[in-house]
């Protein structure tokens, strides 16, 4: 999965998480609230139910109480004897029934009927009344009396637990004729507890009359009644209302008499134990859930923000990983990724895609860096990158590979477009860059490789572009070179040479030959120059001009150089009295360990340092001049002679002759051979000789191939001559022989010595 997809997936997961957390909290919250609400509601409901039950029970109990109160006088031997069909002791009845039941037990009306149901006694409002007043109650009380006196059917609804018949089995079953009944009835439209009970003996059953009198009492369920009832039930505002209350907090229970008459609504303020749940806990929990929800959302939002930041940071890290810090361009990794993608894709016909890969390398960037400083160098790189980028053609992909090296990938481009690319690069760099307070003119070398022609993997393509770039540099820079297989072969050869050279060095296959240097004045051999030789087993002699650069590039040069120096010191010890010149590669010369090595060799071989001439080319003087100067000074102070080799061949500058102190100048052989043909060469040689001698340096002419060369160089005033005319480079045994013959006078044989010299 790609990083971008990863991020998207992560965001999706987060969104899903947010949804599920929200849903979870919401559903949990709703559930919790529902449970609390249900608990509150159910606590309230069951409290009401309980109160209703209590009220019902209390009403039932009031019937039982009325009967119990009646019982205290009705079931009494004395009552039986004082209330008979023949005689009624009204004083007794007033005291024990009328007053007693109304005063003591607050019955409102008391009646006594005889066995036939005719009223014989009435008492209410604190006074005995004429028994006939019972008639106004007769109809209302008829169902009750029917129940007690019989035989009528029980039409009234019975109430549970009321003065149960079984409790008084003795009286009821003992033949005393004990009977009773209690109900709540509507009396004159008012609710009342009514009770009826036969008056029978409680001790002497013999007194039991055939048809006993019946005590009837009416207690109105009025305000006072309800107040008492309410107090005992802790319902202080219990009241009877005609209609159900609809005020908040009040409950009503319809109050129906046992004969089915609706008496009104019993109403009271309900205790609502669930209200604390509903009014306090429910809102608190709701608040808690809201807070928890808010907190969760807050956390999730932060998570989301954090993840967004993370994704952004990740993206910037990804960007950094694929881009170059200095220029902001894609880096090597990104470029190769891009190239690999392109190489992996195919055209519509299934054929590989065509593309150009090119290295663009700033020429002599190192010199710019060295002379103008790294800051300017960095700024230049940035400007170059910006200019390349802004001029980029559609479909081209530009990257910086580090240092001064850029790479470009041109899609859908083949060999035909190489010229266009090289023109584009040239145009891009046509204007100078304004950096470091001046205009810097920049040229580039471009190495180009094509796919599929030059390779189908990024590794091969880049290597081939690199080889082409190397070729462009070798061809004098400021040009674009398209890779050819021959270039690869050359590189391959170089690689082979390098391997063989290493082996040759290790197995002692290298040799040193010497070429004599003669005095222009006497013709005597004054010295020799050491020249390294390599005879390859297969390829034969390989010229140092070919393998020395390879050794320099591959890092072999210091080892070869040290080996040559050792040989030179060894051989110099054989040839006292002459100088031995040795070539030092710039690579060798730049090594700070050179003076120490020379010192060691001097000590080891006992050769005077004055007999050793160190030859360096002007190339050495081109870079890090301070260090070069220091090393030059050091070796000269150690007594070694120095010679400026190949003078006039490279970047010759007369300034070098003034700035650096050399013992000798070796005029390059190209000048020596030109002097015969060209006046200019002659003038230059003469000038150099004059200048050099003026600065106290000896002048050596190299490449003296003919007697004419020798005569001319002698005439120009050179001090020493070297070349095939005198001798070819030869093994040290040859020099041994030359030095043995030195005693014979050469002036006898050589005509060049007879010409008048300028020496
Ligand atoms: P050089 O230092 O200029 O050495 C002189 C070269 O000129 C030698 O080539 C020599 O054989 C050649 N030569 C001498 N007289 C004549 C002549 O009259 N005509 C012509 N045409 N050539 C002549 P060689 O040995 O092939 O060396 C080539 C170069 O390789 C040397 O140029 C030197 O720069 C380098 N070289 C040789 N040996 C060493 C070495 O031990 N160390 C280093 N660093 N460089 C070496
Ligand atoms: Ca030389
Ligand atoms: Ca030379």
């Amino acid at each position: 999965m790609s990083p971008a997809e990863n991020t998207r997936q992560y965001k999706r997961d987060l969104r899903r998480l947010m949804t599920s957390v929200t849903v979870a909290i919401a559903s949990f919250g709703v559930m919790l609230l529902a449970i609390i609400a249900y608990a509150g509601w159910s606590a309230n409901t069951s409290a009401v139910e309980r109160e209703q039950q209590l009220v019902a029970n209390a009403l039932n109990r009031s019937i039982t109480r009325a009967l119990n109160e009646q019982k205290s006088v009705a079931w009494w031997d004395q009552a039986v004897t004082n209330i008979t069909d023949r005689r009624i002791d009204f004083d007794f009845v007033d005291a024990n029934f009328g007053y007693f039941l109304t005063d003591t037990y607050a019955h409102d009306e008391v009646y006594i009927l005889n066995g036939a149901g005719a009223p014989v006694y009435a008492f209410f409002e604190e006074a005995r009344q004429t028994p006939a007043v019972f008639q106004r109650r007769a109809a209302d009380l008829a169902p009750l009396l029917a129940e007690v006196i019989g035989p009528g059917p029980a039409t009234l609804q019975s109430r549970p637990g009321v003065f149960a018949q079984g409790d008084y089995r003795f009286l009821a079953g003992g033949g005393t004729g004990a009977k009773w009944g209690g109900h709540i009835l509507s009396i004159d439209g008012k609710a009342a507890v009514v009770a009826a009970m036969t008056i029978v003996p409680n001790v002497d059953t013999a007194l039991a009359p055939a048809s006993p009198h019946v005590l009837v009492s009416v207690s109105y369920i009025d305000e006072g009644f309800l107040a008492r009832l309410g107090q005992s039930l802790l319902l202080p505002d219990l009241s009877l209302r005609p209609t159900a209350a609809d005020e908040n907090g009040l409950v009503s229970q319809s109050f129906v008499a046992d004969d089915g008459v609706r008496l009104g609504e019993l109403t009271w303020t309900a205790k609502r134990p669930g209200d604390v749940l509903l009014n306090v806990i429910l809102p608190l929990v709701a608040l808690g859930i809201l807070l928890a929800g808010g907190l969760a959302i807050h956390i999730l939002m932060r998570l989301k923000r954090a993840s967004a930041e993370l994704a952004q940071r990740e993206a910037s890290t990804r960007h950094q990983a694929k881009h170059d810090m200095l220029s902001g361009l894609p880096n090597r990794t990104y470029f190769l990724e891009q190239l690999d993608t392109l190489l992996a894709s195919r055209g519509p016909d299934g054929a590989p895609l065509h593309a150009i890969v090119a290295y663009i390398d700033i020429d002599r960037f190192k010199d710019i860096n060295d002379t103008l400083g790294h800051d300017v160098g960095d700024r230049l790189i940035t400007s170059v990158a910006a200019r390349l980028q802004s001029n980029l053609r559609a479909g081209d992909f530009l990257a910086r590979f580090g240092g001064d090296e850029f790479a470009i990938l041109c899609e859908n481009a083949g060999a035909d477009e190489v010229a266009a690319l090289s023109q584009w690069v040239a145009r891009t760099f046509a204007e100078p860059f304004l950096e470091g307070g001046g205009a810097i003119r920049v040229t580039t070398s471009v190495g180009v490789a094509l796919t599929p022609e030059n390779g189908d993997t990024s590794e091969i393509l880049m290597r081939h572009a690199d080889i082409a770039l190397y070729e462009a540099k070798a061809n004098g820079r400021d040009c674009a070179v398209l890779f050819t297989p021959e270039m690869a072969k050359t590189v391959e050869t170089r690689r082979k040479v390098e391997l063989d050279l290493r082996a040759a060095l290790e197995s002692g296959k290298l040799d040193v030959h010497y070429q004599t240097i003669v005095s222009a004045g006497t013709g005597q051999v004054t010295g020799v120059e050491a020249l390294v030789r390599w005879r390859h087993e297969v390829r034969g002699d390989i010229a140092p001009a070919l393998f020395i650069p390879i050794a320099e590039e591959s890092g072999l040069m210091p080892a070869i150089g040290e080996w040559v120096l050792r040989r030179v010191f060894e051989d110099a010890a054989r040839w006292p009295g002459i100088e031995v010149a040795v070539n030092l590669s710039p690579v060798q010369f730049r090594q700070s360990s050179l003076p120490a090595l020379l010192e060691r060799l001097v000590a080891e071989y006992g050769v005077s340092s004055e007999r050793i001439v160190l030859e360096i080319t002007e190339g050495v003087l081109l870079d890090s001049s301070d260090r070069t100067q220091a090393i030059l000074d050091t070796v000269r102070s150690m007594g070694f002679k120095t010679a400026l080799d190949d003078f006039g061949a490279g970047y010759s500058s007369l300034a070098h002759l003034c700035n650096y102190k050399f013992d000798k100048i070796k005029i390059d052989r190209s000048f020596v051979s030109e002097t015969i043909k060209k006046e200019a060469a002659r003038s230059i040689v003469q000038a150099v000789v004059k200048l050099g001698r003026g600065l106290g340096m000896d002048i050596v002419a190299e490449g003296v191939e003919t007697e004419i060369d020798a005569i001319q160089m002698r005439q120009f005033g050179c001090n020493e001559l070297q070349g095939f005319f005198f001798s070819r480079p030869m093994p040290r045994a040859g020099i041994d022989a030359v030095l043995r013959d030195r005693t014979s006078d050469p002036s006898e044989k050589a005509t060049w010595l007879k010409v008048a010299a300028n020496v």
Side-chain angles (χ1 to χ4, degrees):
M1 212 186 283
S2 81
E5 271 173 82
N6 251 330
T7 312
R8 264 200 301 282
Q9 173 68 37
Y10 182 70
K11 277 187 180 162
R12 254 201 311 276
D13 288 350
L14 197 67
R15 217 173 308 129
R16 220 169 289 158
L17 177 70
M18 278 186 80
T19 317
S20 26
V21 167
T22 312
V23 167
I25 288 180
S27 41
F28 173 75
V30 166
M31 208 169 73
L32 195 63
L33 292 177
I35 288 172
I36 292 170
Y38 175 75
W41 173 82
S42 117
N44 281 347
T45 326
S46 60
V48 167
E49 276 168 9
R50 216 175 62 93
E51 282 170 1
Q52 285 171 335
Q53 194 60 53
L54 282 174
V55 169
N57 285 350
L59 287 169
N60 290 352
R61 262 202 322 280
S62 67
I63 299 169
T64 303
R65 198 174 57 236
L67 284 167
N68 267 324
E69 286 157 6
Q70 284 190 338
K71 188 190 78 179
S72 64
V73 290
W75 294 350
W76 187 16
D77 290 4
Q78 260 180 285
V80 175
T81 51
N82 283 307
I83 306 165
T84 63
D85 287 336
R86 279 176 290 111
R87 189 190 67 89
I88 293 172
D89 182 343
F90 282 104
D91 289 339
F92 173 86
V93 175
D94 279 344
N96 292 296
F97 284 77
Y99 284 110
F100 178 69
L101 288 175
T102 55
D103 278 2
T104 311
Y105 292 130
H107 291 204
D108 291 307
E109 295 171 14
V110 177
Y111 303 97
I112 295 176
L113 311 180
N114 65 16
V120 292
Y121 180 80
F123 189 99
F124 50 85
E125 287 166 0
E126 302 285 300
R128 188 181 334 140
Q129 313 285 346
T130 127
V133 297
F134 177 75
Q135 289 312 324
R136 39 173 213 173
R137 305 282 179 250
D140 289 340
L141 290 172
L144 172 70
L145 291 173
E147 222 173 76
V148 178
I149 301 171
T155 56
L156 297 177
Q157 198 212 322
S158 68
R159 286 177 181 263
V162 167
F163 202 74
Q165 196 96 11
D167 293 350
Y168 299 98
R169 201 165 308 157
F170 168 70
L171 284 171
T176 56
K179 285 186 174 169
W180 61 87
H183 282 286
I184 291 172
L185 290 178
S186 161
I187 302 297
D188 200 15
K190 287 180 281 179
V193 173
V194 294
M197 184 173 270
T198 52
I199 299 170
V200 293
N202 63 331
V203 180
D204 185 1
T205 52
L207 294 175
S211 62
H213 282 77
V214 177
L215 170 63
V216 176
S217 66
V218 175
S219 310
Y220 289 104
I221 300 176
D222 51 13
E223 257 176 53
F225 183 96
L226 286 175
R228 281 195 301 280
L229 195 73
Q231 252 155 25
S232 73
L233 295 177
L234 303 177
L235 302 172
D237 63 344
L238 183 66
S239 64
L240 185 60
R241 301 182 176 197
T243 53
D246 56 0
E247 288 120 278
N248 211 5
L250 288 184
V251 282
S252 293
Q253 181 178 12
S254 45
F255 190 23
V256 181
D258 293 350
D259 55 1
V261 174
R262 227 192 118 265
L263 297 170
E265 295 286 329
L266 280 167
T267 303
W268 67 92
T269 305
K271 282 197 201 62
R272 299 172 61 86
D275 279 1
V276 71
L277 281 174
L278 295 174
N279 299 337
V280 180
I281 293 179
L282 193 69
L284 281 179
V285 170
L287 189 71
I289 289 167
L290 278 181
L291 285 178
L295 191 70
I297 287 174
H298 177 71
I299 289 172
L300 287 172
M301 292 313 270
R302 287 194 59 165
L303 198 66
K304 198 173 160 185
R305 222 171 326 149
S307 83
E309 272 168 30
L310 200 71
Q312 206 183 334
R313 218 170 308 147
E314 216 176 82
S316 95
T317 312
R318 262 203 311 276
H319 184 270
Q320 271 169 26
K322 285 180 152 196
H323 289 79
D324 165 52
M325 292 277 268
L326 180 63
S327 65
L329 288 181
N331 59 14
R332 175 194 288 266
T333 314
Y334 194 4
F335 186 89
L336 294 181
E337 209 177 279
Q338 203 76 6
L339 179 57
D340 283 334
T341 311
L342 181 117
L343 292 173
S345 41
R346 289 279 172 275
D349 52 351
L353 297 177
H354 285 264
I356 296 179
V357 168
Y359 273 117
I360 302 172
D361 192 284
I362 300 175
D363 292 332
R364 298 194 197 288
F365 179 70
K366 198 173 168 306
D367 292 350
I368 296 171
N369 244 346
D370 286 347
T371 47
L372 298 176
H374 286 267
D375 278 355
V376 176
D378 281 357
R379 281 209 298 279
L380 181 66
I381 290 291
T382 315
S383 305
V384 166
R387 197 185 282 183
L388 280 169
Q389 181 70 42
S390 66
N391 289 1
L392 209 58
R393 304 168 308 169
D396 289 0
F397 187 84
L398 178 71
R400 178 176 174 231
F401 271 33
D404 57 337
E405 204 168 67
F406 295 85
I408 194 162
L409 170 64
C410 313
E411 286 184 30
N412 295 321
D416 304 346
E417 277 85 3
V418 173
L421 174 68
S422 100
Q423 275 160 22
W424 174 78
V425 174
R427 258 202 321 279
T428 306
F429 287 89
E431 290 291 312
F433 290 85
L434 302 173
E435 292 298 345
I440 306 175
R441 202 163 283 281
V442 172
T443 61
T444 56
S445 302
V446 182
V448 184
L450 306 173
T451 184
E453 296 90 329
N454 301 150
D456 53 5
T457 70
S458 56
E459 196 200 329
I460 292 174
L461 272 174
M462 293 324 287
R463 196 172 68 232
H464 287 174
D466 194 39
I467 289 170
L469 175 65
Y470 182 89
E471 195 68 22
K473 296 260 178 205
N475 288 359
R477 302 181 165 91
D478 193 13
C479 61
V481 169
L482 176 59
F483 171 82
T484 62
E486 290 71 46
M487 290 175 199
K489 242 178 256 158
T490 314
V491 169
E492 184 56 22
T493 313
R494 283 175 67 90
R495 213 178 57 81
K496 273 220 199 78
V497 167
E498 183 192 322
L499 286 175
D500 291 352
L501 183 58
R502 202 180 287 272
L505 174 68
E506 278 160 13
S507 59
K509 296 264 169 59
L510 295 182
D511 197 4
V512 176
H513 284 193
Y514 295 91
Q515 188 178 30
T516 58
I517 300 169
V518 302
S519 159
T522 64
Q524 293 278 349
V525 173
T526 54
V528 288
E529 178 179 0
L531 297 159
V532 70
R533 290 291 176 264
W534 176 24
R535 175 155 291 173
H536 192 276
E537 280 145 349
V538 185
R539 294 148 60 102
D541 286 339
I542 298 180
L546 191 110
F547 70 82
I548 293 281
I550 295 176
E552 283 175 337
E553 267 173 41
S554 62
L556 266 177
M557 200 56 225
I560 293 178
E562 184 173 341
W563 180 85
V564 171
L565 273 171
R566 206 161 267 285
R567 272 293 302 272
V568 163
F569 273 79
E570 192 186 316
D571 294 338
R574 299 159 70 106
W575 308 317
I578 61 160
E579 288 175 348
V580 181
V582 62
N583 295 284
L584 291 184
S585 145
V587 175
Q588 249 178 309
F589 198 77
R590 261 183 244 124
Q591 282 195 314
S592 46
S593 59
L594 180 68
L597 171 65
L598 291 171
E599 199 175 337
R600 258 202 327 275
L601 292 171
V602 167
E604 219 173 296
Y605 293 97
V607 173
S608 160
S609 56
E610 279 133 50
R611 287 179 49 219
I612 306 292
V613 181
L614 304 175
E615 296 190 2
I616 60 169
T617 54
E618 287 187 286
V620 173
L621 307 178
L622 279 179
D623 55 54
S624 46
S625 42
D626 284 353
R627 226 164 89 212
T628 311
Q629 183 77 68
I631 293 181
L632 261 178
D633 289 348
T634 309
V635 296
R636 291 191 80 234
S637 71
M638 289 165 72
F640 292 98
K641 290 206 173 115
T642 53
L644 185 57
D645 204 356
D646 301 344
F647 188 77
Y651 332 94
S652 294
S653 161
L654 293 179
H656 289 151
L657 295 180
C658 306
N659 294 342
Y660 300 95
K661 190 88 188 87
F662 288 98
D663 297 286
K664 301 183 185 204
I665 298 171
K666 297 185 82 169
I667 298 174
D668 191 69
R669 67 167 174 269
S670 58
F671 280 92
V672 175
S673 53
E674 293 283 286
T675 48
I676 304 154
K677 297 171 253 168
K678 286 188 181 155
E679 174 61 35
R682 266 198 297 281
S683 310
I684 289 169
V685 173
Q686 280 175 305
V688 170
V689 170
K690 206 166 173 197
L691 180 70
R693 295 187 69 163
L695 290 166
M697 302 183 196
D698 282 345
I699 312 297
V700 184
E702 287 188 308
V704 177
E705 293 182 350
T706 61
E707 189 156 36
I708 297 173
D709 289 342
I711 292 168
Q712 200 147 40
M713 289 305 134
R714 189 173 130 90
Q715 277 188 329
F716 287 154
C718 294
N719 306 80
E720 289 173 315
L721 309 175
Q722 178 184 358
F724 295 164
F725 175 65
F726 302 104
S727 89
R728 293 216 166 230
M730 58 185 110
R732 67 176 166 196
I735 301 297
D736 287 343
V738 167
L739 292 180
R740 266 199 308 277
D741 302 346
R742 205 158 56 135
T743 38
S744 58
D745 185 3
S747 57
E748 296 300 313
K749 311 159 210 169
T751 41
W752 64 275
L753 276 169
K754 294 174 186 148
V755 178
N758 196 14
V759 187

